């Protein structure tokens, strides 16, 4: 792994997302992933950078997300468009900290399209906490990792969405994944 120049991310089925005071979504992200580059930083650390044009994060919809075991209603869809996903892996400890930013686009069929929610956080294998949510990740071991991050989501220029989500508020991401280095 210390001589790797490429990395492949394969997201898992048992991920979670939460926003505001609402219950967590069980989120099947197993069709997601992407490829990235690896740069040696010294001190047994690697810089990992994913190409966000090719990074696939599956939409949250009735196929991929549920609350209390019930799929979200079919017209609801949240598309996740990543803008940045890069960070540093410490090969000695397995700690991984990834800077992540994305636009979350909420639609209700063709009836409603909200302005993009701008979300930025550090997805980490360590502890992440906000005012409402908190989670603990798991360091890289045998190619498996659990990244967690709490972001502060700002208010948007849409009275309905800002009120419904109680913006500004916390959003939590829990992403289990496999990393393959080559």
């Amino acid at each position: 792994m210390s001589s790797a120049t490429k990395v492949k991310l394969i997201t898992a089925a048992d991920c979670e997302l939460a926003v505001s005071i609402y219950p967590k979504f069980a989120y099947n992200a197993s069709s997601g992933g992407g490829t990235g580059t690896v740069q040696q930083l010294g001190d047994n650390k690697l810089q990992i950078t994913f190409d966000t044009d090719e990074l696939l994060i599956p939409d949250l919809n009735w196929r991929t997300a549920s609350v209390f075991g019930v799929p979200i209603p079919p017209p609801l869809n949240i598309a996740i468009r990543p803008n940045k996903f890069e960070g540093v892996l410490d090969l000695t400890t397995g700690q991984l900290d990834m800077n992540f930013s994305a636009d979350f686009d909420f639609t209700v069929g063709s009836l409603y399209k909200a302005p993009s929610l701008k979300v930025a956080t550090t997805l980490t294998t360590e502890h992440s906490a906000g005012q409402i949510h908190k989670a603990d990740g798991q360091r890289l071991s045998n190619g498996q990792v659990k990244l967690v991050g709490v972001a502060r989501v700002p208010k948007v220029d849409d009275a309905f969405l800002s009120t419904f989500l109680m913006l500004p508020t916390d959003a939590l991401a829990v992403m289990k994944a496999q990393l393959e280095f080559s």
Side-chain angles (χ1 to χ4, degrees):
M1 191 176 350
S2 63
S3 62
T5 59
K6 296 181 181 179
V7 62
K8 181 177 180 181
L9 172 76
I10 303 165
T11 52
D14 52 344
C15 299
E16 296 177 333
L17 290 171
V19 65
S20 191
I21 61 171
Y22 296 108
K24 289 179 186 173
F25 288 97
Y27 174 45
N28 180 348
S30 63
S31 63
T35 57
T37 59
V38 176
Q39 179 182 354
Q40 310 297 321
L41 296 177
D43 293 331
N44 219 20
K45 293 183 180 175
L46 304 177
Q47 172 72 37
I48 298 174
T49 305
F50 286 94
D51 180 353
T52 55
D53 290 333
E54 296 186 19
L55 183 62
L56 173 63
I57 301 174
D59 292 2
L60 272 82
N61 56 38
W62 64 275
R63 291 181 188 96
T64 61
S66 63
V67 178
F68 301 123
V70 178
I72 62 175
L76 300 180
N77 191 75
I78 302 170
I80 305 170
R81 295 182 298 112
N83 300 312
K84 182 181 197 178
F85 193 43
E86 62 186 30
V88 175
L89 170 62
D90 184 327
L91 293 173
T92 303
T93 65
Q95 180 175 339
L96 177 60
D97 295 303
M98 299 291 291
N99 296 316
F100 175 77
S101 66
D103 294 330
F104 284 63
D105 296 326
F106 176 74
T107 56
V108 181
S110 60
L111 301 174
Y112 174 74
K113 180 179 182 344
S116 294
L117 292 175
K118 307 289 186 189
V119 176
T121 190
T122 298
L123 291 173
T124 182
T125 54
E126 305 309 296
H127 181 75
S128 185
Q131 294 177 356
I132 300 170
H133 296 286
K134 63 182 176 181
D136 292 303
Q138 293 175 345
R139 292 181 177 191
L140 182 66
S141 176
N142 298 319
Q144 303 297 313
V145 68
K146 177 181 171 186
L147 294 167
V148 298
V150 177
R152 192 74 181 156
V153 182
K155 201 170 198 174
V156 294
D157 190 20
D158 182 294
F160 168 74
L161 190 62
S162 287
T163 302
F164 179 70
L165 294 179
M166 296 170 258
L167 300 176
T169 193
D170 283 356
L172 167 69
V174 176
M175 181 178 77
K176 293 184 179 178
Q178 179 179 334
L179 294 175
E180 296 176 353
F181 293 88
S182 60

